[in-house]
Each structure stands twice: as C-alpha cells, then as structure tokens.
C-alpha cells in the first residue's frame, strides 16, 4: 500500500508529464503551420491525401512531376505550396504519435497506481488522454476532407477548431498533472472565467470563418469599414452554414457584402472579448493572481495583431502570429478557469 503521508511516486506518470509538456509547444507549431498553409493558399498544394500527387513526398524530379500532373491534370504542381502542405501533415502526424504515446503512458500509470493501492485522488488521469486520442483521429479525418472537399469553409473551420481543442486538452492535461501548481485564481471568479472562455471560443470560431471565407480584407480600413461605422452587409449569406460546395473553394465564393458581414461580426466579437476578458484580467489583478498580467498582455497583443492585419493588408507573418497568439489567449483563459474551479474544491 502507498504511504498515506506522501503521494505515490509513479515513473509512468512522470513520463506522461514530460510527453505532454513537449506536445504542447509542438501542437502550437502545428497550428502555426496550418495557419500559414491556409493563408498562403497552399491548402490544396497537394490535391490528394495523405500523400502528395500519389507520392509520399512532394514530387521534385522531372519525371515525377510529369507523372503527378498526368494523375491530376487540373492541379499543376506548385512545389512551394506542396511542401508547406506536406510539412504541416508531417508535423500533425508526429503530434498524433505523441498523443498516442501519452494515452499508452496514462494507461500504464493508472495501472501502476492501482497496483500500488494509491488513493483515487492521487491516480493519473486517463479520460483526458483517451479523449485526446479520439480527437486527433477525428482531426485526421477533417484534414482529409479539407482537401477532398476543396476547402469547404465548414470543414476548414471545424478542422481549425479541432486543432485548438487538441491544444487546449493537452494544456488541461498538463494542469491536471501539476503544471502551474503555484498559480491561483479566486473561486468567486469562476462564472466570469466561464463566460470569458465561451466568448474566446466563439471569437476563434469567427476568426476561422473569416479565414475560410477569405473575408480578412473585406474591410480595408480601421476603425471604420469602407468609411462607415455600420457598412452594408449580408449576414444571411455570410453565415449560411448550409451553403453548397463549389468545384473549388480556393479564393472563396461569397459576394462582397457577405464577406463584409463576416468580417464585421469578427470585429464586434473582438470588442466583446476585450471587455469580458479585460475585466477578468482586472479582477484577477485586484486579487493578486499571477495569471492577471499574462492574460492582459496576451489579450492586448492579440487585439494589436488583429488591427495590424487590416492596416498592413494582411501580412503573412502577422496573420500567422494572430492565430498563434489566439491559441495562447485560449490557453491562458483555460488556466484561469481550471484554477478558479479548483480553488473551490477541498485540498
């Protein structure tokens, strides 16, 4: 039996913790690569899946290129775009293997805890690693559909949300395993934190919808849009989630007013997130929580990057960073939620 006066030492749990800590920045890289691939119009750099023009890698030799273009006559080989797409796939596949190893280690750790007679509160989490394994399999399917359905916005946005969900669950698992044990947030802020998390998720979904419908530059000025505070927009068409699939959605198929509607709703969402998350950061600061300043700093940076996307006409690096910082903002809010809810539980 385990000593009741100290936690049971579990080798597999420590290994699980290390794998999860490594997987978090790796998942951020996958998100960054996915954003760059999408923004560089390289999402169809390889017209098939999981290979590229029927090869395991990008065809480079002349006779391979000729064979590739004979297989896909309507998709001429663009080497640079194909490489970005394949690099993203390689990294995503490696992340899947990391999550598989985490699930295996979680199972071994749980079995070791049970065999040692450790208390239930000391046992290693198993549901989160298994949920991650299921999610990453679903993500692989959406990655395939992104290509086969020719960048259909519903699939692209869901695939993006799945990537953010994967990162968030890895982060939550790390918190469960002991990351940030010195961080604290008052239990009284749990409802505010939940509302903040909800609005951040909705805003990320709106950002994905903006990107997948090529609406990032629908408004070319700031803070107005086409010189108006409330421009003409077609919200019905912009948010028609049952829209049909075109032969190829690269470049988008919506009219200008529909794209303006999507873009403008994302701006309004940013204002709401600024108010809700900003006030949460202020309340955390008053309670001297170490999460207050990181939350405020990441929120400010994310708002700045969003403005620069418009003012600088969507520079590729800035737009990619906007995705990455959005993911970090989500993780920070998740940490606040976790600590606020844990603060209300017995030790």
């Amino acid at each position: 039996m385990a000593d009741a006066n100290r936690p049971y030492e579990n080798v597999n749990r420590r290994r699980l913790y290390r794998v999860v800590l490594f997987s978090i920045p790796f998942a951020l890289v996958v998100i960054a690569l996915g954003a760059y691939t999408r923004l560089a119009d390289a999402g169809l750099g390889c017209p098939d899946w999981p290979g590229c023009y029927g090869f395991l890698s990008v065809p480079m030799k002349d006779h391979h290129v000729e064979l590739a273009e004979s297989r896909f006559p309507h998709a001429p080989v663009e080497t640079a775009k194909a490489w970005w797409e394949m690099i993203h796939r390689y990294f995503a596949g490696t992340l899947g293997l990391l999550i598989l190893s985490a699930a295996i280690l979680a199972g071994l750790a749980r079995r070791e805890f049970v065999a040692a007679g450790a208390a239930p509160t000391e046992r290693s989490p198993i549901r989160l690693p298994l949920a991650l394994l299921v999610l990453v399999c679903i993500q692989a399917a959406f990655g395939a559909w992104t290509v086969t359905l020719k960048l259909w916005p519903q699939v692209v946005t869901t695939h993006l949300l799945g990537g953010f969900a994967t990162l968030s669950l890895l982060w939550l698992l790390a918190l469960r395993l002991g990351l940030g044990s010195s961080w604290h947030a008052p239990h009284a802020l749990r409802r505010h934190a939940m509302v903040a998390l909800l609005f951040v998720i909705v805003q990320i979904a709106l950002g994905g919808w903006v990107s997948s419908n090529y609406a990032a530059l629908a408004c070319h000025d700031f803070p107005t849009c086409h010189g108006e505070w409330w421009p003409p927009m077609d919200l019905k068409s912009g948010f028609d989630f049952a829209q049909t699939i075109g032969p190829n959605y690269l470049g988008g198929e919506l009219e200008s007013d529909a794209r303006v509607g999507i873009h403008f709703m994302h701006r309004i969402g940013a204002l709401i997130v600024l108010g809700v998350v900003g006030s949460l950061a202020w309340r955390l600061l008053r309670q001297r929580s170490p999460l207050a300043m990181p939350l405020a700093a990441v929120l400010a940076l994310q708002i700045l990057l969003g403005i620069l996307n418009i003012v600088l006409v969507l520079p590729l690096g800035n737009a990619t960073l906007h995705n990455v910082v959005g993911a970090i903002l989500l993780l920070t809010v998740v940490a606040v939620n976790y600590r606020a809810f844990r603060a209300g539980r017995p030790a």
Side-chain angles (χ1 to χ4, degrees), residues 17-330:
Y17 185 50
R18 294 191 190 105
V19 169
V20 171
L21 285 184
F22 179 77
S23 299
I24 290 169
F26 201 92
L28 264 177
V29 172
V30 172
I31 286 175
L33 286 170
Y36 187 92
T37 300
R38 184 173 64 256
L39 291 162
D41 290 332
L44 295 179
C46 296
D48 52 338
W49 191 94
C52 190
Y53 292 91
F55 297 91
L56 291 177
S57 183
V58 179
M60 298 291 290
K61 296 180 179 179
D62 290 342
H63 63 282
H64 286 165
V65 172
E66 290 177 8
L67 179 57
E69 293 184 343
S70 68
R71 290 171 175 170
F72 300 91
H74 302 295
V77 176
E78 295 183 69
T79 305
K81 291 184 177 182
W83 268 117
W84 278 115
E85 173 65 13
M86 288 307 295
I87 290 171
H88 174 57
R89 293 183 191 180
Y90 294 150
F91 271 79
T94 304
L95 178 62
L97 293 176
L98 286 170
I99 289 173
L100 174 61
S101 65
I104 293 171
L105 286 170
L108 293 173
R110 173 58 66 95
R111 187 174 67 177
E112 191 177 338
F113 270 120
V114 172
T121 54
E122 295 177 359
R123 293 177 185 174
S124 187
I126 188 67
R127 293 179 182 177
L128 264 177
L130 292 178
L132 272 163
L133 188 58
V134 172
L135 180 57
V136 82
C137 292
I138 295 172
Q139 271 293 90
F142 272 94
W145 292 333
T146 296
V147 176
T148 57
L149 295 180
K150 308 294 184 184
L151 304 182
W152 193 28
Q154 288 87 326
V155 171
V156 173
T157 303
T158 305
H159 189 45
L160 177 142
L161 289 174
F164 277 70
T166 302
L167 175 65
S168 298
L169 289 182
L170 281 168
W171 179 250
L172 184 58
L173 180 56
L175 292 170
R176 287 280 307 276
L177 292 169
L179 177 68
S181 56
S182 63
W183 303 341
H184 64 85
H187 186 61
L189 297 185
R190 67 193 185 282
R191 291 178 181 172
H192 193 163
M194 282 185 65
V195 172
L197 178 61
L198 174 63
F199 278 111
V200 168
I201 292 171
V202 171
Q203 182 66 355
I204 288 170
L206 278 171
W209 196 243
V210 168
S211 180
S212 60
N213 283 282
Y214 300 87
L217 295 178
C219 297
H220 54 76
D221 51 336
F222 182 86
T224 58
C225 178
H226 299 300
E228 300 184 51
W229 290 105
W230 193 269
M233 62 185 83
D234 183 0
L235 293 176
K236 182 179 179 181
S237 298
F239 291 92
D240 179 12
F241 300 119
Q243 57 180 269
T244 56
I245 308 172
N248 186 330
Y249 211 88
L250 185 63
E253 294 185 355
L254 294 180
E255 299 294 333
S256 176
D257 283 355
R259 298 191 200 202
V260 168
I262 296 171
H263 180 107
F264 204 77
M265 288 303 104
H266 188 52
R267 286 195 188 186
I268 291 176
L271 287 174
I272 295 172
V273 167
L274 178 62
V276 174
V277 178
S279 59
L280 176 61
W282 171 249
R283 294 181 71 187
L284 287 167
L285 185 62
R286 293 184 63 184
Q287 296 292 330
R288 298 185 178 181
S289 169
L291 293 167
M293 292 307 295
L295 181 61
V298 175
L299 175 64
L301 179 58
Q302 180 67 348
I303 295 295
L304 175 62
L305 291 170
I307 294 171
L308 290 177
N309 273 344
I310 301 166
V311 175
L312 301 179
V313 196
L314 201 66
L316 197 53
N318 189 88
T320 303
L321 190 59
H322 189 51
N323 281 261
V324 174
V325 176
I328 296 173
L329 176 61
L330 176 62

